[in-house]
Amino acid sequence: MKNFAEIISLMFLGYFIIMNLSYFAIFVMSYTGIRRYRKRMPLNNYLLIYQSRFTPPISLIVPAYNEEGSIIKNVNVFLSNFDYPEYEVIVVNDGSSDGTLLKMLEEYECEIGDYPYKKSLLTKPILNIYTSRKYKNLKIVNKINGGKADALNAGINVSKYPYFGSIDADTILERNSYMKVILPVINNPRRVVATGGIIGVINGSKIVENRIEEINFPKNILAKFQVVEYMRAFLFGRYAWSIVNALPIISGAFGLFKKSAVLQCGGYSTEKTKFYTVGEDMELVMKLHKHFREKKEKYKIEFVPDPLSWTEVPEDIKTLANQRGRWHRGLMEVMWSNKNMLFNYKYGILGIVAMPYYLIFELAAPVVEILGYIMMPYFYLNNMITVDVFIMFLSIAVMVGVMNSLLAICLEMITFRHYRRLKEIMAMACFAILENFGYRHLTMLFRIRGMIQQIMGKNSWGIMKRKGF
Amino acid sequence: MSVSILFLLVTVTLNIIIFFIILYVHFNENRKKKIKNKKRKEYAEDINECIWDLGKCSFKKKKIDIYFIDSIIFNINSYAGEKREKIIEMAERAGVVEYIYQKYKKSWFETERKLYIYFMGEIRSLNKFDELLKTEITEVVNQNVLFEYYFAICRIFKQQYENINKEIKEKFEEKLFEIFKAIDETDEYEIEKFCNLIILEGILRYHEEESNILEKFFLRIMESDISLKSKGEVIYLCALRQVKGIKRYISNKSKELLKQEIRDRAEDELLIKLIKSYGEFRIKQGEYVITEAAKDREWNVRATAVKYIEKIEGNEKLFMKLLGDENWWVRNNTAENLINKGKNGERLLINALKGEDRFARESSAYRLSSGEFGIKILRYIFEGNLDKILDIIEALVNEGNNMNVLDIILKENLVSVEDKIKVIKVVKNTKFLDYYENSIQRKDYDERIDKAAKLKLEEIFRKAVIE
């Protein structure tokens, strides 16, 4: 029994060591990449991009479902408070049962347009396309309910420009976010098929008319933990994977895609399979990877390490649990539907490194880590392992975890420095330490719950409670 | 001390170190930012400082950084004459050109390459220009960088254009054509299109006085085996140029080629652009193209063309046909154009109202009648439902609404004489007086209507007296 415990504990130690080593490798990659990006930033002449008629025009697709209360305010931001030379906004009303559509039709003085569009992607029927008399670049698509992915596909069909951006109606964008995100496309128009940016936490910040006036550290404790978490996820993970062209996800809240490439891949997945798509954003990016790698065409999915959009994170346990569960379900289904890419050399770094990483250190992590946190103390208390092994486990699991979070803060400090007050920096550091004593484990449990729900066949989005701005 | 405790201590120490690094970064970044801002300000504002720094670079082999190049460009742009030449000379001596060249070769980023090319243009150095350009065209083909190349070439030449000998001029033209052709051969449509625009816009912007270059360039492109798409861009720009009337530079031969290319067009976009450029600048030569385009097989071409048809005379049949077109946009644009033409246009719309084409009737009704009431009335006219018409007219009169529709009903033979009399009886506002006055002037009224109108007039008059 003792031998068994020792073997198990060694396995846990090994798991945590490899996980933290990979985190560290990712940090080094991100650090060098972000430094390079920052050095080049002064050269990016956004005024030139804004004035140039060579900047590719874009279509912004905003899916809306039962958002009567906030839709006008949110769409107004995309229409008037936004810097981009040429763009159109397509709001897709996905069969809302409240007054979302009527409100928009009234506010924007819409009329039914005989607008021709190509049904490149199969979607639920589009009932009408409205054009606004007030804003020439606004189109409102009214369709039968089919889910977010279906709404986005309908938006792609109606869009007229070569690049499209998917935005959640409640996302707050920086004025020039799309000028920043189009830069990789301008630099390499042939290869870049999708780009995305960092999403920041908005809780506690001063918002005026859906614009960020002042970035503040959140007041809510859960949100404070999530600030550190988001930093780690976006600054660390995504950019590093983007450097080796193995970025597996561009957040649905903010992204830019080459329309022709997405059409080649068949758009967003809408099929209701065993694993119903709640992670349509990740699914699409994986489809793009798969498509181009199978065709052996050169392509690039880039990540801009710049906070371009902001979102409100959950401030209560229930919403957080729902969100994390949903994310994990999304990850599970994407891994499942792309299982043939795993450990497959045909897909390059994505198949050999990135996907196994996501499988072992993201998908399986909640189960392994929670088991580790339960079994290791049990083994120690029953004298099945030595104190050395136990301390080693704690050092790796907790202290190296703290180190990763501190490194993420350090990276943020060197690069963007959104939180400039000493008080905020100290608070961030404290929460980076504290998250390893309860918060992290809590989110692990939520993720396990999500896994169970997925296996049991529950596939709803759950309720996302937001305080609003 | 066991290994585990040692490891624990190491991790704790590392965490503490990272924490202090964070604090250090916080304080240091603030300090650095202040210094950087100050330095950049100095660089950009003081020419002597710039020359001094260039001198330091040249003598002490100090490292040149990107901010520094930025400031040199700023200073070159800001000063003229001796000061400017001095900076350029110092920059060359300090090895800035070589630095830029080396940087360019390594850089895969458009913004960086653009800055370097811009700088080359500023200091008027053709040093290694050919080599870089060749790489850009054959390997990278980035439209924005080529744009910068073109302007750099133009800047270099424009300064001494008058003094440039024939040989150099020819070489320049040759280079332009080479770039154009090289871009044309790439398979990426968008880049091709953009680059074509770049080259031609460059010519338009920098060499207005040299129309011969354009003429030659145009003919050469037209006669070459360059794709129709690329030629399309040239045609568009030439048309634009022509209609703006800046300068005559297209010969008859070019015009012939232009017409031919339009006929054989590979895509509609070109023709649409041409129609727009003719239409927006109201150019006589374009009238034929526009009317022909209004008969085109593609709806988007027809929809664009009909917006710009100037004369109604002689085009009545065409307008009527377009009013009943199968496409909504064509019908809508036709009706809109006609309504903007005033009485003659209205007359045509009314004729369409009386016609049998449902599409034409609908689009005319929509334009002729402003507002919801108007549309309803016209619909009831077609249905022959007089009661509803009278109800609506009454409502309109009571609300003092727009009465365009009433005019149409009374003036035109859309309803019978009996019905017109009934309509008159309902009307009570001044709009009626206008109508009555007009009908007397026209002398084309029916006696029975006249009688009813007189009675109505008396009624209104009496009411006014009582009030």
Side-chain angles (χ1 to χ4, degrees), chain B residues 109-141:
Chain B
F109 292 94
E110 178 209 85
T111 35
E112 284 180 358
R113 294 206 307 280
K114 261 166 67 177
L115 186 69
Y116 306 142
I117 294 307
Y118 179 80
F119 185 76
M120 295 285 211
E122 279 303 320
I123 64 167
R124 307 198 211 311
S125 164
L126 278 173
N127 187 19
K128 290 166 185 166
F129 217 74
D130 287 355
E131 190 192 323
L132 294 177
L133 189 57
K134 204 176 161 189
T135 320
E136 194 69 44
I137 290 169
T138 53
E139 287 172 25
V140 193
V141 199

Side-chain angles (χ1 to χ4, degrees), chain B residues 125-161:
Chain B
S125 164
L126 278 173
N127 187 19
K128 290 166 185 166
F129 217 74
D130 287 355
E131 190 192 323
L132 294 177
L133 189 57
K134 204 176 161 189
T135 320
E136 194 69 44
I137 290 169
T138 53
E139 287 172 25
V140 193
V141 199
N142 181 312
Q143 70 269 24
N144 285 336
V145 179
L146 282 172
F147 184 57
E148 206 59 56
Y149 264 109
Y150 185 70
F151 286 131
I153 297 173
C154 287
R155 269 197 301 275
I156 294 165
F157 279 96
K158 198 183 178 178
Q159 292 294 319
Q160 318 139 29
Y161 209 86

Side-chain angles (χ1 to χ4, degrees), chain A residues 40 43-44 48 53-54 114 116 186-187 388 392 395-396 399 403 406 410 413 417 420 425-426 429, chain B residues 2 4 7-8 11-12 15 18-19 26 29-30 109-110 112 114-115 142 144 201 299 328-329:
Chain A
R40 220 175 296 120
L43 295 166
N44 297 336
L48 191 79
R53 59 200 192 94
F54 302 109
D114 186 8
I186 291 174
N187 277 334
D388 276 353
M392 193 71 123
S395 317
I396 295 168
M399 296 319 284
M403 200 191 295
L406 287 175
C410 197
M413 293 294 301
R417 301 190 68 220
R420 286 169 183 265
I425 293 157
M426 297 296 275
Chain B
S2 67
S4 59
F7 187 78
L8 182 64
T11 50
V12 171
N15 279 337
I18 296 169
F19 178 69
H26 171 69
E29 284 290 321
N30 281 349
F109 292 94
E110 178 209 85
E112 284 180 358
K114 261 166 67 177
L115 186 69
N142 181 312
N144 285 336
E201 285 222 330
W299 72 265
W328 184 87
W329 286 108

Side-chain angles (χ1 to χ4, degrees), chain B residues 79 90 93 114 127 140 178 180 186 199 213 238 242 249 296 300 313 320 324 397 399 438:
Chain B
Y79 298 97
M90 292 294 283
R93 205 192 294 166
K114 261 166 67 177
N127 187 19
V140 193
E178 262 172 39
F180 196 87
T186 60
I199 307 295
I213 293 184
C238 290
Q242 189 193 12
Y249 73 98
D296 198 83
N300 45 355
E313 295 79 42
M320 292 303 274
V397 169
E399 284 178 18
N438 288 340

Side-chain angles (χ1 to χ4, degrees), chain A residues 102-115:
Chain A
L102 281 175
K103 266 206 151 177
M104 286 193 286
L105 297 186
E106 207 173 284
E107 175 70 24
Y108 301 120
E109 296 172 11
C110 294
E111 55 187 19
I112 295 180
D114 186 8
Y115 186 77

